[in-house]
Amino acid sequence: MSAAISVRGAVKRYGDLCALGGVDLDIEQGAFFALLGPNGAGKTTLISALAGLVRLTAGTISVLGHDVVSDYRAARRMVGVVPQELVFDPFFSVREVLRLQSGYFGLRRNDDWIDELLENLDLTKKADANMRQLSGGMKRRVLVAQALVHRPPVIVLDEPTAGVDVELRQGLWAFVRKLNQAGHTIVLTTHYLEEAQTLCNRIAMLKSGRIVALDDTANLLRAVEGHTLRVKLA
Ligand code: ATP
């Protein structure tokens, strides 16, 4: 099967600091993939580069064959990103946030899909509430809906369960699993091996801007248990 995401020689420097030190990575279509690593490993930088939000110092990234720099618009349509930060204009309602995002993608008649997303994310009752009236967990679910508004084949979630209680977390994962079963490629970043292990079929471990391990979940766990993989996870 061909790659949903293809990263070649990705380097990102901020002055003297090397956030990505030459990353090569292929994520297959239909995968449920985890990018695992401690604070500062470079996970958000890699995700931001693939969403076209950060320009690499060197190297290339393509999403379903579209280069994220030279073919930005097409690449942007292929991917929905759920960022870590809960940043919204507090004066918009939930529905307005989703309509604005639809407008960005030129989707004028998207209300049926927006209603379906609200229903699936248990937000229907909050559709007309202002963003400032929502709890952190609800805002995070709005971010998920926002990322899915244009039905992207690839969905990238940057630590989506940070600050989310157990019940909401389970609901979120059930929904993301459903998306994966429907054929979406899922990439998530996490600090937790247990989270990656329960959800994902393939894991890359990132440390100090480099991939230190990349394998199917079962093989990687065997290596960790057998101590043949000597990396500190968090
Ligand atoms: P976390 O799990 O804490 O979110 P991460 O693996 O996502 O960490 P990044 O946020 O990608 O890590 O950061 C990688 C490195 O790049 C860190 O040392 C960080 O301080 C640095 N960095 C990230 N963004 C910038 C920036 N805009 N300017 C300077 N340094 C940055």
Side-chain angles (χ1 to χ4, degrees):
M1 202 179 266
S2 59
I5 295 171
S6 197
V7 183
R8 290 286 171 274
V11 174
K12 178 65 189 177
R13 288 195 199 94
Y14 293 104
D16 290 342
L17 191 142
C18 188
L20 294 175
V23 171
D24 291 302
L25 180 64
D26 283 314
I27 300 178
E28 288 190 348
Q29 283 183 50
F32 201 141
F33 192 96
L35 209 49
L36 182 71
N39 288 123
K43 304 178 298 293
T44 300
T45 304
L46 186 56
I47 279 181
S48 304
L50 95 82
L53 300 170
V54 156
R55 183 74 74 104
L56 291 176
T57 310
T60 58
I61 304 184
S62 61
V63 184
L64 290 162
H66 301 281
D67 184 271
V68 299
V69 176
S70 63
D71 199 4
Y72 172 71
R73 281 186 175 278
R76 183 73 188 82
R77 282 183 177 277
M78 297 297 143
V79 61
V81 180
V82 182
Q84 250 179 71
E85 292 86 17
L86 302 172
V87 182
F88 295 99
D89 187 320
F91 294 102
F92 287 133
S93 73
V94 172
R95 192 181 292 285
E96 281 165 346
V97 166
L98 301 181
R99 281 186 176 155
L100 270 174
Q101 185 79 356
S102 301
Y104 173 80
F105 286 103
L107 302 166
R108 283 191 198 86
R109 291 193 196 88
N110 208 23
D111 278 357
D112 287 351
W113 177 234
I114 288 176
D115 284 342
E116 207 175 315
L117 286 173
L118 291 173
E119 181 70 36
N120 271 292
L121 288 158
D122 200 15
L123 285 168
T124 304
K125 285 187 191 143
K126 295 288 175 188
D128 299 312
N130 274 14
M131 290 307 301
R132 65 176 183 275
Q133 298 170 317
L134 265 52
S135 71
M138 289 170 189
K139 284 182 183 151
R140 199 160 287 285
R141 280 179 282 147
V142 177
L143 281 182
V144 175
Q146 200 179 17
L148 292 171
V149 107
H150 60 295
R151 303 176 191 247
V154 179
I155 299 154
V156 179
L157 305 106
D158 198 1
E159 292 179 40
T161 52
V164 172
D165 70 37
V166 176
E167 199 181 326
L168 277 181
R169 191 177 302 185
Q170 281 169 352
L172 188 63
W173 288 139
F175 180 56
V176 175
R177 267 206 189 97
K178 220 164 75 177
L179 291 168
N180 182 237
Q181 279 157 7
H184 293 269
T185 305
I186 310 287
V187 181
L188 74 98
T189 75
T190 178
H191 293 158
Y192 305 113
L193 180 60
E194 307 75 50
E195 193 161 73
Q197 162 187 357
T198 3
L199 294 162
C200 302
N201 50 27
R202 208 162 158 77
I203 299 177
M205 285 186 189
L206 202 60
K207 202 175 177 211
S208 306
R210 291 179 186 277
I211 292 186
V212 292
L214 169 67
D215 213 332
D216 290 343
T217 303
N219 292 340
L220 199 125
L221 289 174
R222 266 196 294 274
V224 171
E225 277 157 20
H227 304 293
T228 51
L229 185 65
R230 295 187 188 283
V231 286
K232 193 166 172 284
L233 294 177

